[in-house]
Amino acid sequence: QEEMMALAQMVREKSFRKKEIIYLAGQPGDHVYLLKKGIVKISKPTSSGREITLALLKPGDIFGELEAVEGTGSRDEQAQAHSDVFICVLNRNDLMNMMKSKPNIGIQLSKLIGFRRRVIENRLENLIFKSIPERLTALFSELLGQFAEETTDGMKINIPLTHEDLASLIGATRATVTEVLNEFKNQSSIIIKGKFITIKSPEILKAVPQS
């Protein structure tokens, strides 16, 4: 609580509308962001011009911390508002000064950076070694860990996702994702209502054969 109170004196608050860019790849990493409301998408452009989504963040998450803490200069990825968002922005110098006086903050940020790297490494491993149905299955499990809502139909991923969003998250084309989602629906494994997906049978999804 003491650390949160101290941070509150240093941050400035900003709001972004849906699809508005918070920062771009190549920009200086001189700020850290705390998401208070909404969903933020972290993505990375590829050499082919496509975009791969690395993470979807929920309220309470910190982002932009890697370059700020490690002093690596320009950012490798971009952050975009996936919905209307409200964030707190902290200057890197203020963060570094606070880390010197309160080492526990640095320890927690190091743990967060390590966790994020493992998630991204796991995502990249899925892109290389798993089929599209298996990638979607892994993604559903990951998203349920963040955005699950229990309903009478099953576990709902309570975040709006288009087929294009899903394709960007698993490194596939929109057409392929649509085809696999239809297969899941035909198996009565999932329900899709608008942009929301409900997992009816996680056990069935875990048993999706490799194609």
Side-chain angles (χ1 to χ4, degrees):
Q1 184 65 28
E2 179 186 350
E3 292 163 353
M4 291 296 290
M5 292 288 288
L7 281 172
Q9 303 302 314
M10 302 178 189
V11 301
R12 55 189 175 92
E13 298 176 331
K14 293 190 68 175
S15 59
F16 293 84
R17 302 301 300 270
K18 182 179 179 181
K19 294 189 177 180
E20 193 173 354
I21 298 296
I22 300 169
Y23 59 75
L24 288 168
Q27 290 183 335
D30 50 9
H31 291 90
V32 178
Y33 303 84
L34 172 63
L35 179 59
K36 294 191 71 175
K37 181 180 179 182
I39 304 296
V40 165
K41 179 175 75 172
I42 306 296
S43 62
K44 189 170 185 176
T46 66
S47 56
S48 63
R50 294 183 61 188
E51 177 185 86
I52 294 180
T53 300
L54 302 177
L56 292 169
L57 307 179
K58 63 184 184 303
D61 284 341
I62 294 174
F63 61 102
E65 77 289 341
L66 177 60
E67 295 84 3
V69 172
E70 297 191 347
T72 53
S74 60
R75 300 192 183 280
D76 290 329
E77 72 282 333
Q78 72 174 28
Q80 183 181 29
H82 189 71
S83 64
D84 290 349
V85 303
F86 186 69
I87 62 176
C88 293
V89 185
L90 179 65
N91 183 277
R92 178 182 185 272
N93 291 334
D94 289 335
L95 175 65
M96 299 306 291
N97 288 333
M98 192 167 187
M99 285 171 59
K100 290 177 183 177
S101 62
K102 297 184 181 296
N104 184 58
I105 292 180
I107 294 172
Q108 294 301 320
L109 280 175
S110 295
K111 289 180 179 179
L112 174 63
I113 291 170
F115 172 75
R116 290 262 174 85
R117 280 176 168 163
R118 288 194 297 274
V119 170
I120 292 173
E121 287 170 0
N122 185 61
R123 181 81 56 77
L124 293 175
E125 184 177 322
N126 287 342
L127 296 184
I128 296 172
F129 297 110
K130 292 188 177 181
S131 67
I132 302 300
E134 289 174 321
R135 293 182 208 174
L136 266 180
T137 297
L139 177 63
F140 290 158
S141 297
E142 179 184 326
L143 293 176
L144 283 175
Q146 293 178 277
F147 306 104
E149 177 185 330
E150 190 170 358
T151 71
T152 55
D153 293 323
M155 296 302 293
K156 177 182 177 182
I157 300 173
N158 194 23
I159 174 177
L161 294 165
T162 65
H163 291 195
E164 190 65 41
D165 290 331
L166 295 171
S168 178
L169 280 159
I170 65 168
T173 65
R174 182 186 182 281
T176 301
V177 165
T178 299
E179 181 181 341
V180 175
L181 287 174
N182 287 333
E183 291 178 5
F184 285 172
K185 287 194 293 184
N186 292 336
Q187 297 166 3
S188 297
S189 298
I190 65 174
I191 298 173
I192 299 179
K193 293 182 179 178
K195 296 180 181 179
F196 293 90
I197 299 172
T198 298
I199 311 301
K200 289 184 64 178
S201 175
E203 292 77 16
I204 293 176
L205 285 176
K206 290 177 182 177
V208 172
Q210 182 168 354
S211 59

